[in-house]
Amino acid sequence: VAADAECVAFLQWCLPRLGLRWPGFRKVRRTVCKRVARRARSLGLDGLAAYRARLEAEPGEWALLDELCRIPISRFWRDRGVFECLRDEVLPALAATADTRPDRILRAWSAGCASGEEPYSLALAWRFGAAARLPRLGFELLATDADPVLLGRAARACYRPGSLRELPAAMRAAFSPAGPLLCLRPEYAAGIAFARQDLRREMPAGPFDLILCRNLAFTYFDAETQRRVLAGLRARLVPGGALVLGRHERLPDIGAEPPLAERRPASGIFRLGGW
Ligand SMILES: C[S@@+](CC[C@H](N)C(=O)[O-])C[C@H]1O[C@@H](n2cnc3c(N)ncnc32)[C@H](O)[C@@H]1O
């Protein structure tokens, strides 16, 4: 208990300096506290007070601490209702618009893509949904994350079966077994590019028809950073484009027009200019 209280105090001190916020970390603090304790030990430091002193003496250590604060949790078809809605309603609507543009490409961005579970789920929602009806429409998906280890896993595209538990049965056909893992067949990864980017500092140029920003900015980033990121996301949406948040996330109010209107009932799926 004492160790937990000490770590909570440490996180409350350091997170704001990284553009992050304590409430987002409350539930995952044990993971982060364990990593921080291990880091302090590896530096030969005795406890968090000594580690804090090290951070104050050595600005370079902050980048390492920042890495320790990344939460890699994800899974395929996370929040199934969201992906069903994307497959059955949102992607077909966005595709119909994209199909009228001269370049005929539907463009999507998954920001904070972890090991690829989210972008591959979206690609499967497309392929097993509207794609067949719009064979001439291209599909381009950019997936970004700050963590190179996770991006490496995303490129390999092999997962433990548990990660696919929520995926509709028909979509399992997109994977082939490799030992204990299930690997996405390469044809389903076509059109998907991965890039290392820190969402607090950089964003792709866009514009995008669809942006997934789930369980990252609007959970872990501090209020000011959330507002800045939201302004950047909005600026990268085409008119009528959609933004998807995590199930428990709220958009900060930045008073910008046109509004990002949530699809009802509460879905975490927003559309620029309304539905
Ligand atoms: C909890 S996971 C969410 C994954 C996926 N979006 C989902 O909802 O299942 C958060 C992801 O954000 C990444 N991340 C953390 N901080 C980041 C940052 N500043 N910029 C970009 N990605 C970051 C982590 O590496 C991790 O992969």
Side-chain angles (χ1 to χ4, degrees), residues 94-172:
L94 296 174
T97 306
D99 202 40
T100 65
R101 292 196 299 252
D103 63 356
R104 297 189 119 156
I105 299 175
L106 181 70
R107 293 187 179 81
W109 170 27
S110 162
C113 64
S115 306
E117 300 89 340
E118 177 178 283
Y120 292 139
S121 294
L122 183 64
L124 292 170
W126 169 245
R127 289 287 289 274
F128 284 76
R133 296 193 298 277
L134 294 161
R136 291 202 295 175
L137 183 67
F139 179 77
E140 283 180 10
L141 171 51
L142 176 65
T144 60
D145 201 281
D147 195 303
V149 175
L150 299 182
L151 288 168
R153 285 190 200 137
R156 285 193 290 284
C158 294
Y159 302 89
R160 291 177 204 287
S163 176
L164 276 66
R165 224 175 13 230
E166 292 191 62
L167 200 65
M171 293 185 188
R172 307 264 162 100

Side-chain angles (χ1 to χ4, degrees), residues 36-186:
V36 171
R38 199 182 307 135
R39 173 66 185 158
R41 273 199 305 279
S42 80
L43 292 169
L45 299 172
D46 184 22
L48 287 178
Y51 186 55
R52 181 169 161 163
R54 173 63 64 96
L55 284 161
E56 275 167 331
E58 277 200 39
E61 181 64 21
W62 285 93
L64 228 134
L65 175 62
D66 191 53
E67 288 173 26
L68 302 181
C69 294
R70 290 187 200 134
I71 305 301
I73 299 165
S74 191
R75 60 184 175 276
F76 280 84
W77 220 247
R78 179 179 194 170
D79 304 325
R80 97 178 39 194
V82 171
F83 277 98
E84 284 168 0
C85 181
L86 288 174
R87 180 191 59 195
D88 300 337
E89 322 254 350
V90 178
L91 281 170
L94 296 174
T97 306
D99 202 40
T100 65
R101 292 196 299 252
D103 63 356
R104 297 189 119 156
I105 299 175
L106 181 70
R107 293 187 179 81
W109 170 27
S110 162
C113 64
S115 306
E117 300 89 340
E118 177 178 283
Y120 292 139
S121 294
L122 183 64
L124 292 170
W126 169 245
R127 289 287 289 274
F128 284 76
R133 296 193 298 277
L134 294 161
R136 291 202 295 175
L137 183 67
F139 179 77
E140 283 180 10
L141 171 51
L142 176 65
T144 60
D145 201 281
D147 195 303
V149 175
L150 299 182
L151 288 168
R153 285 190 200 137
R156 285 193 290 284
C158 294
Y159 302 89
R160 291 177 204 287
S163 176
L164 276 66
R165 224 175 13 230
E166 292 191 62
L167 200 65
M171 293 185 188
R172 307 264 162 100
F175 295 81
S176 31
L181 302 178
L182 291 165
C183 300
L184 186 70
R185 297 177 196 273

